[in-house]
Amino acid sequence: MPDQKPLFGVDVAPLSAPSEGADEPDMTQPLPARVRPRTLDEVVGQEHLVGEGKLLRRMIEADRVSSMIFWGPPGVGKTTLARVIAHQTSSAFIDFSAVTSGIKEIRKVMEEAESYRQLGRRTILFVDEIHRFNKAQQDAFLPYVERGSIVLIGATTENPTFEVNGALLSRCRVFVLHELGEDDLVRLMRNALADPRGFGDEDVRVSDEQLSAIARFSNGDARGALSTLEMVVINSPSADDGSVTVDQATLEQCISRKALLYDKRGEEHYNTISALHKSMRNSDPDAAVYWLARMLEGGEDPLYVARRVTRFAAEDIGLADPHALELCVAAFQACHMIGMPECTVHLAEAVVYCAMAPKSNAVYVAYESAKRDAQERMAEPVPLQIRNATTDLMGNLGYGRDYRYAHDAAEKLTPMPCLPDSLIGTEYYVPTDSGLEARYGEKLAQVKAWKREHADEWRDTTTDEDEDGASSQRPRGEKA
């Protein structure tokens, strides 16, 4: 059957598998595009999805593909799997890019897909980088997915929970693709060196150690590994017999700077700061420094890291070591004043200190408990004895009339309650015995014991209500 014509600027795959020789490579294309796998047997990696007997493989081989989302980092095979489906399906296959298309193009393609459905022909629509579509654009797919006009296959590097609207996501199966391992990448490059679409017609000599170096540099990215291999081969010297031997100097120039997978606004941002926070909490300075380096070398704003580390000092260390907060604030100021790359060592010092410091979340727990009461319980008025009487009227109403000035007492304590009546006796701050907080715990226990012992002094010297009806709790015998 002849190939279908391009539809509204997007490509429609043939309705049957391509014949022998019909898929000749364009040698002007980059190596990753030329050697892209055409069948499941050529796919390297993702064994959990396309290995023998796995669900996705069975769906593709049976041509019973349902709407799905491929989620994974760059260069792990999302588009490749879509191309494999295009080669093996008997359905019309439309390749659609969220980068170059808008709502107008979506509607035109959906109308054409609906006409195919009425003729009894299924349409598979592949949307690369589907996360780049906004909610309105994604909503445009919904009725056609719902009625079966299209089978939607989306590819995204971002967490679909956040980037794909819920109604569309609920109608798709999510397949998670993983970064390729070093062995997978080496195998992929060996295949490219042997494939006529790659360097199979050339005599390229490269060692396993050199391929492993490229694989490590590529960080799980197949496209990056193949692109680097192509760059190395093209720039290596040729011998008189036409052979190309990859030399170490060229290789080192091509892999001198690794591009770390890090998106300051994407999921990796949150994953990595979570890893840093949890490593410090787990008293693991080595892991903490590593995740710090991953963030900073990936381009993260050092002030963002400094803010999070400063938060950690109060949330996870607190009064077990109050100096941690001082050190983290100093690191924040250093980042603000001198910036990258000099401030890396200041942040590293703060991170290592926080990892090694004694831990307590008692202050954090105290605030969260108080916040819950403040939000959920009735907002009682501030007790009169701790109000400030800034006018005569306030004084006449009893504001501050019963206030006890702690500095006037020998113990620097008074039995005066400071919480609303319904919360008297509530404990928010419960010190741990970690680090210096054990001393604060002992001090607090002494304070509470003294207040219990002298509680009657407050009750004996106050009245419930004065003669004017104001709840001033004026000490007995005192004149108004």
Side-chain angles (χ1 to χ4, degrees):
M1 184 176 292
D3 290 1
Q4 292 173 276
K5 298 297 182 182
L7 174 67
F8 302 114
V10 295
D11 295 329
V12 180
L15 297 183
S16 59
S19 61
E20 189 69 28
D23 199 20
E24 290 297 326
D26 179 358
M27 299 305 289
T28 64
Q29 289 184 316
L31 180 62
R34 299 202 308 268
V35 300
R36 188 187 296 279
R38 296 159 295 188
T39 67
L40 285 173
D41 291 334
E42 293 180 0
V43 174
V44 175
Q46 312 306 335
E47 289 295 320
H48 64 295
L49 298 180
V50 297
E52 287 296 333
K54 299 300 182 181
L55 175 62
L56 183 57
R57 186 184 189 98
R58 297 200 312 269
M59 292 171 64
I60 295 173
E61 289 177 338
D63 195 12
R64 296 181 63 85
V65 175
S66 60
S67 292
M68 62 183 74
I69 302 290
F70 292 144
W71 172 30
V76 296
K78 299 184 294 296
T79 303
T80 291
L81 286 175
R83 299 290 186 191
V84 168
I85 294 172
H87 275 261
Q88 297 198 201
T89 185
S90 60
S91 305
F93 188 96
I94 302 176
D95 193 343
F96 203 75
S97 174
V99 176
T100 58
S101 305
I103 195 75
K104 181 179 179 182
E105 291 79 8
I106 293 173
R107 286 175 176 158
K108 287 182 178 179
V109 171
M110 294 302 98
E111 290 169 3
E112 188 73 10
E114 175 64 15
S115 68
Y116 283 168
R117 185 185 70 84
Q118 293 173 0
L119 293 173
R121 183 180 300 166
R122 187 177 63 160
T123 299
I124 295 177
L125 177 67
F126 173 63
V127 182
D128 197 14
E129 300 194 73
I130 192 172
H131 60 274
R132 292 182 179 268
F133 278 142
N134 60 35
K135 187 179 184 300
Q137 291 169 320
Q138 292 182 23
D139 283 343
F141 293 120
L142 199 56
Y144 299 94
V145 172
E146 187 72 34
R147 71 171 67 107
S149 301
I150 62 168
V151 173
L152 176 67
I153 301 178
T156 178
T157 57
E158 302 296 329
N159 189 329
T161 305
F162 305 128
E163 303 297 336
V164 179
N165 76 51
L168 189 59
L169 187 62
S170 69
R171 291 162 174 79
C172 298
R173 181 185 294 273
V174 176
F175 289 102
V176 180
L177 281 72
H178 301 151
E179 293 176 349
L180 274 65
E182 183 177 325
D183 291 343
D184 288 334
L185 292 175
V186 170
R187 177 183 163 199
L188 197 68
M189 288 185 283
R190 283 292 180 199
N191 291 347
L193 291 169
D195 192 325
R197 298 175 298 164
F199 295 110
D201 295 332
E202 302 179 39
D203 183 8
V204 178
R205 301 169 185 177
V206 55
S207 69
D208 289 339
E209 291 77 12
Q210 290 172 324
L211 290 179
S212 293
I214 295 174
R216 289 191 296 272
F217 169 77
S218 301
N219 214 32
D221 183 340
R223 187 184 301 108
L226 291 171
S227 296
T228 304
L229 175 65
E230 182 177 37
M231 186 184 304
V232 170
V233 170
I234 290 174
N235 289 282
S236 291
S238 299
D240 293 338
D241 62 359
S243 65
V244 176
T245 301
V246 173
D247 66 304
Q248 196 63 26
T250 301
L251 176 63
E252 290 177 356
Q253 290 181 50
C254 291
I255 62 174
S256 60
R257 175 75 178 181
K258 180 185 286 189
L260 295 175
L261 175 62
Y262 190 78
D263 182 351
K264 289 192 287 183
R265 294 178 178 83
E267 190 191 10
E268 278 305 297
H269 165 81
Y270 298 104
N271 287 342
T272 313
I273 192 61
S274 175
L276 172 61
H277 199 129
K278 290 177 172 64
S279 297
M280 291 190 294
R281 180 181 292 152
N282 202 43
S283 299
D284 190 337
D286 299 313
V289 170
Y290 170 75
W291 294 118
L292 171 68
R294 278 277 295 268
M295 296 188 78
L296 295 179
E297 298 307 312
E300 183 57 79
D301 180 359
L303 289 176
Y304 169 77
V305 181
R307 287 196 299 270
R308 292 301 300 264
V309 174
T310 301
R311 163 76 183 201
F312 179 90
E315 179 179 334
D316 285 270
I317 298 174
L319 293 177
D321 185 355
H323 179 62
L325 182 57
E326 299 174 4
L327 184 66
C328 291
V329 170
F332 181 91
Q333 291 174 333
C335 292
H336 181 72
M337 289 188 292
I338 65 177
M340 287 284 286
E342 291 83 359
C343 70
T344 55
V345 68
H346 302 89
L347 284 173
E349 180 179 349
V351 161
V352 169
Y353 189 97
C354 286
M356 297 305 298
K359 304 298 190 295
S360 170
N361 69 343
V363 171
Y364 168 75
V365 170
Y367 179 79
E368 291 300 310
S369 298
K371 179 176 76 173
R372 184 168 55 252
D373 281 349
Q375 292 175 338
E376 297 177 2
R377 300 183 64 150
M378 186 178 71
E380 295 185 66
V382 175
L384 287 172
Q385 64 268 19
I386 55 173
R387 295 190 194 183
N388 192 25
T390 56
T391 68
D392 289 342
L393 175 61
M394 290 177 177
N396 291 335
L397 291 174
Y399 283 35
R401 185 177 298 168
D402 248 358
Y403 175 63
R404 306 294 176 85
Y405 189 54
H407 291 287
D408 288 342
E411 302 87 351
K412 307 303 179 186
L413 291 171
T414 79
M416 177 182 65
C418 297
L419 280 169
D421 291 343
S422 68
L423 292 176
I424 289 177
T426 301
E427 292 185 343
Y428 295 117
Y429 176 56
V430 181
T432 69
D433 59 0
S434 179
L436 292 176
E437 194 164 42
R439 291 166 51 185
Y440 298 122
E442 293 173 1
K443 173 65 175 177
L444 182 58
Q446 294 170 4
V447 168
K448 288 186 175 181
W450 186 94
K451 289 189 174 184
R452 285 193 298 270
E453 183 181 346
H454 294 79
D456 289 343
E457 295 180 12
W458 176 259
R459 289 191 292 267
D460 292 343
T461 59
T462 59
T463 57
D464 293 333
E465 192 173 22
D466 69 10
E467 56 271 25
D468 296 321
S471 298
S472 62
Q473 294 194 332
R474 186 172 60 253
R476 292 177 181 170
E478 182 179 319
K479 293 182 181 179

